[in-house]
Amino acid sequence: MRLVRERKPLVHQITNYVVMNETANATLALGALPVMAHAREEVAEMARLAGALVLNIGTLSPHWVDAMLIAGKSANEAGVPVVLDPVGAGATTYRTETARRILDEVDVAVLRGNAGEVATLVGVEAEVRGVESIAAADDAAAIARVAATTLGVVASVTGPVDQVSDGERAAAIANGDPLLAAVTGTGCMSSAIMGCFLAVAEPFEAAVAALAAFGVAGEDAAREAKGPGSFHVGLYDALAALDPQSLDERVRIT
Amino acid sequence: MRLVRERKPLVHQITNYVVMNETANATLALGALPVMAHAREEVAEMARLAGALVLNIGTLSPHWVDAMLIAGKSANEAGVPVVLDPVGAGATTYRTETARRILDEVDVAVLRGNAGEVATLVGVEAEVRGVESIAAADDAAAIARVAATTLGVVASVTGPVDQVSDGERAAAIANGDPLLAAVTGTGCMSSAIMGCFLAVAEPFEAAVAALAAFGVAGEDAAREAKGPGSFHVGLYDALAALDPQSLDERVRIT
Amino acid sequence: MRLVRERKPLVHQITNYVVMNETANATLALGALPVMAHAREEVAEMARLAGALVLNIGTLSPHWVDAMLIAGKSANEAGVPVVLDPVGAGATTYRTETARRILDEVDVAVLRGNAGEVATLVGVEAEVRGVESIAAADDAAAIARVAATTLGVVASVTGPVDQVSDGERAAAIANGDPLLAAVTGTGCMSSAIMGCFLAVAEPFEAAVAALAAFGVAGEDAAREAKGPGSFHVGLYDALAALDPQSLDERVRIT
């Protein structure tokens, strides 16, 4: 958190149309610098300049998939860490295959999805409706562990309690608020925030720190919210107001 | 309203870049699940999974038109009802022709537009500036009736008083607030909300219920608004707080 | 300001995915009518109908570049003034070359960028990170003057103090608030607002009036903001509440 604010890393995001404004504002509120660029003509150059690259498949089309692969490979060559958010994997064949293709061709440092999305990518059956994972994962922690081992990533499975695993270490983060599920793109925002932390810390610690910070901000925003609209606005205020010191005390990690 | 919240239908939206976040959040606030997907590679599959499909031509390009036609036909085959929002029909030839083409090739259950857009589609002259209909429709009710009969849809013409017609029945909904016209995409949001209701009710009733619910939420949001920004935020809070019982009492339908 | 509200000009915007909703709402809040359209099939027609055209290269791809050139030329033929916002020029070759190409092929009335972007376009070295200009321009006024002379435009270089030059006249506008830098797309919003003023005034006056109005609105929004989220919401309320008379008294132009 302190390092993010001190270094203000540039976080290159190739993300979906629905949440671009939101993930950019969450990145800024936390203290990093967002940049959105998706043209095949410039993504390799932009990814090399960044502190981290976030790939999010929420509104795919072929040119964007190409751009994600080009950017991901360029990031890999330059040693820039990559976050993948496999939005809607399991909902359509195109999304599942694209998420798998990115995992095959790009060295992904952190994978962040809901239980259904991550389960799909490791071949476990899960009910996915659109981009929502409905079935309460009986064992999100197990899905995270299997994904980490099978896919060779730090896997984060988010939900009421977020689970992070690198195959050996595991953490469960119990911060957050139910209103986070009432606003579109909060999952995408948490992936963007992972990008911010990943630019200044190693993947497991970055994933845990990002989910903790985002969860605490959600708790702060919920306190004065009258519904999803005011909660959404309060979330940016809360991210900007996060205090690294009190954050450490409020985080509920096991 | 009760049924939307109980069944949480998935509403597939192929809509414009300007309002994607807004229509997704309005859908969630009402209690349904939004999903945005526009790739020709996946729209047929996604549309079949949905409770309703919303097509909105607010920021067109050829690939998106293709995707709308593919999704619309897939929805028709699967018995998934379709809403069309012909944003800007009448402003450019491309928009008018695309709206007509969708009406020709897809079985549209509900059409929702402003007076100028709907008048254009039934060949009545109307002044359209950009995506706004400036001329106060002398007879929005007549335009709705003609559109319903000519196009074989439930037609909704929204404005200070919303008009819905299926060619035989007609309803006028007088809820709402002038601030709705001060925020971009409120028309698109009302089309998205029609999709939510259309997934659980027949088209005429769905259109009326959606416009009533959205209008009442607009009244609630206006009460504490200091301008278009706070009104916009309050609209999501109000949609989420809508109470099915008091809604029935507050609706002004004739 | 009065003229914008009286004439409600249509402002055609071909802008980036991140800020479309935001620039449309800023345009509406000020009292003008936004329209977003980017298809090569319709931009020439739409640009001719508008009071001004705003080109913003924040999320480029080849089809969008084509559309900007088509729209720009159509606007030129019809006497519709053009604003260019060269977002991220200097960050990647593609952006720098595209901005230069638009300046070569389209008669741009007003150029608005940060110090790094505008410096890049006149060949001065500048540090650009992503779409942010980090280096405090030693002499933003000089960059504006050189850009105006070299490129034959009214050049606006925005920052803590905004600088406008047409090569002969120069103005420095000291309104605004640091929170404007904490929300994504405020630069894009100020370009959209320039489009609104450009539809009713000559370029130099339009640029100055737009930056003054936006800066004063920023000051008003900051007064009650708790952070970037509530500031962002308050900005639309403040734009809508701007009072032409008191605006004149509050503007700090030298």
Side-chain angles (χ1 to χ4, degrees), chain B residues 17-19 22 58-62 91-95 129-132 134 181-184 226-230 232-233, chain C residues 7-10 17 20-22 24-25 28-29 33-39 41-42 45-46 49 64 224 233 236-237 240:
Chain B
Y17 300 124
V18 186
V19 303
E22 285 61 35
T59 53
L60 281 180
S61 59
T92 64
T93 307
Y94 187 51
R95 288 178 189 236
R129 289 182 67 202
V131 294
E132 303 291 327
I134 299 302
V183 176
T184 201
K226 295 175 192 166
S230 46
H232 188 179
V233 172
Chain C
R7 296 191 195 162
K8 293 186 179 305
L10 182 67
Y17 299 125
M20 280 195 197
N21 190 269
E22 285 60 37
N25 273 326
L28 273 176
L33 291 177
V35 68
M36 270 62 181
H38 68 286
E41 287 77 4
E42 68 172 350
E45 192 178 351
M46 193 67 94
L49 299 171
W64 285 69
E224 302 199 17
V233 172
Y236 304 109
D237 288 353

Side-chain angles (χ1 to χ4, degrees), chain B residues 111-169:
Chain B
L111 174 72
R112 193 219 60 84
N114 61 35
E117 291 159 351
V118 179
T120 294
L121 296 177
V122 293
V124 176
E125 294 241 338
E127 189 191 350
V128 177
R129 289 182 67 202
V131 294
E132 303 291 327
S133 175
I134 299 302
D138 271 0
D139 202 346
I143 294 173
R145 195 176 55 244
V146 173
T149 312
T150 319
L151 304 171
V153 299
V154 168
S156 338
V157 175
T158 54
V161 174
D162 302 327
Q163 303 289 345
V164 180
S165 171
D166 68 356
E168 299 188 351
R169 288 172 292 177

Side-chain angles (χ1 to χ4, degrees), chain B residues 149-229:
Chain B
T149 312
T150 319
L151 304 171
V153 299
V154 168
S156 338
V157 175
T158 54
V161 174
D162 302 327
Q163 303 289 345
V164 180
S165 171
D166 68 356
E168 299 188 351
R169 288 172 292 177
I173 301 106
N175 295 94
D177 187 275
L179 274 168
L180 284 165
V183 176
T184 201
T186 51
C188 306
M189 282 188 224
S190 76
S191 295
I193 287 175
M194 265 182 206
C196 302
F197 280 91
L198 195 52
V200 301
E202 60 87 21
F204 182 81
E205 281 175 20
V208 172
L211 292 171
F214 194 61
V216 168
E219 294 168 10
D220 289 343
R223 210 165 296 127
E224 303 199 16
K226 295 175 192 166

Side-chain angles (χ1 to χ4, degrees), chain A residues 40 109 186 191 238:
Chain A
R40 290 172 294 192
T186 50
S191 295

